[in-house]
Amino acid sequence: MNFLEFIITCTLFSISPGSGAAVSINNVITNGFKGASFGIVGLQSALALHLFFIYLGIGLLVSQSPILYNLIKYLGIIYLAYLGIEKIISSFKHKNIFLSNSAKQSDAVLMQQGFTVNLTNPKSIIFLTSFIPQFINESSNTMIQYLLLGGIVVFIDTIVMFIYSLCASFFRSYLTEGKTIQNINFIFGIIFIGIAISIAI
């Protein structure tokens, strides 16, 4: 593989719809672009931690240990299912509660949600564990190479998540009115639960 293939693969990996994209879009609708930005910080913090784990060799350990893999996997499934159920319950509440300042989540909570969603995604760890080392030259300084490649992975994923968020923000005014926001909460609840099920399969 060459560097261009690395960029293309990283981009496709980030663009493919998943929990990160769903969280980013949902955060824009319920908390605005600023709130979504804090969620993205959480997502990328977890991604950076994944890359650090891979550098330490923990990623390889997880990929080869069914117990560790399943532990992380089911923690992620439980958390996504929890978010989904929470969204579905919210969809049955008073329609104005979603738009009130008191209903909006704090920046810290949004960061924590993004961090937890990405951290408990074992498929991300497995993909990066099998992908990144292919571009590492063991005869050179591996730390610098991991920092460079890891930085590119995080940069591309950050750009993609912001693009998802910007696209959602353009339609936010049409999506945050009355019954619409209730339906959106219900739909995203189903999406989160669906992603959890897809991870479980």
Side-chain angles (χ1 to χ4, degrees):
M1 286 188 174
N2 57 39
F3 189 69
L4 179 59
E5 290 176 317
F6 178 81
I7 298 295
I8 293 173
T9 305
C10 287
T11 303
L12 292 175
F13 172 70
S14 296
I15 289 176
S16 58
S19 53
V23 166
S24 297
I25 295 171
N26 175 73
N27 285 344
V28 168
I29 295 170
T30 57
N31 296 274
F33 185 77
K34 178 184 175 183
S37 299
F38 281 95
I40 291 172
V41 171
L43 289 170
Q44 302 315 316
S45 297
L47 181 58
L49 191 57
H50 279 179
L51 292 163
F52 180 66
F53 287 160
I54 291 167
Y55 172 72
L56 293 179
I58 296 175
L60 182 62
L61 176 63
V62 171
S63 67
Q64 295 180 343
S65 171
I67 295 176
L68 282 177
Y69 177 86
N70 286 322
L71 176 62
I72 296 172
K73 174 181 176 179
Y74 287 108
L75 283 174
I77 290 169
I78 291 169
Y79 188 70
L80 284 169
Y82 161 76
L83 290 179
I85 293 170
E86 186 180 52
K87 280 289 171 187
I88 291 173
I89 292 174
S90 296
S91 71
F92 292 104
K93 294 182 180 179
H94 191 275
K95 65 181 181 181
N96 292 326
I97 191 171
F98 306 107
L99 305 181
S100 66
N101 291 329
S102 61
K104 292 183 178 181
Q105 295 164 302
S106 69
D107 297 338
V109 169
L110 293 171
M111 287 179 64
Q112 174 267 315
Q113 284 187 351
F115 182 82
T116 305
V117 165
N118 245 9
L119 187 67
T120 55
N121 181 4
K123 291 184 179 180
S124 173
I125 298 177
I126 302 306
F127 170 77
L128 293 172
T129 299
S130 61
F131 177 63
I132 297 288
Q134 297 181 48
F135 297 88
I136 299 297
N137 182 355
E138 296 294 339
S139 63
S140 301
N141 190 314
T142 57
M143 178 181 290
I144 292 177
Q145 293 179 73
Y146 270 103
L147 283 173
L148 176 61
L149 296 178
I152 292 172
V153 170
V154 172
F155 176 76
I156 290 175
D157 197 64
T158 300
I159 295 299
V160 170
M161 291 305 110
F162 270 113
I163 290 174
Y164 272 121
S165 299
L166 280 171
C167 291
S169 68
F170 290 141
F171 299 98
R172 186 172 183 258
S173 60
Y174 302 102
L175 301 174
T176 55
E177 298 179 357
K179 186 69 175 177
T180 303
I181 195 66
Q182 289 179 285
N183 293 333
I184 287 173
N185 273 285
F186 184 81
I187 290 170
F188 270 96
I190 297 299
I191 289 173
F192 284 133
I193 292 174
I195 293 173
I197 293 172
S198 73
I199 294 174
I201 295 175

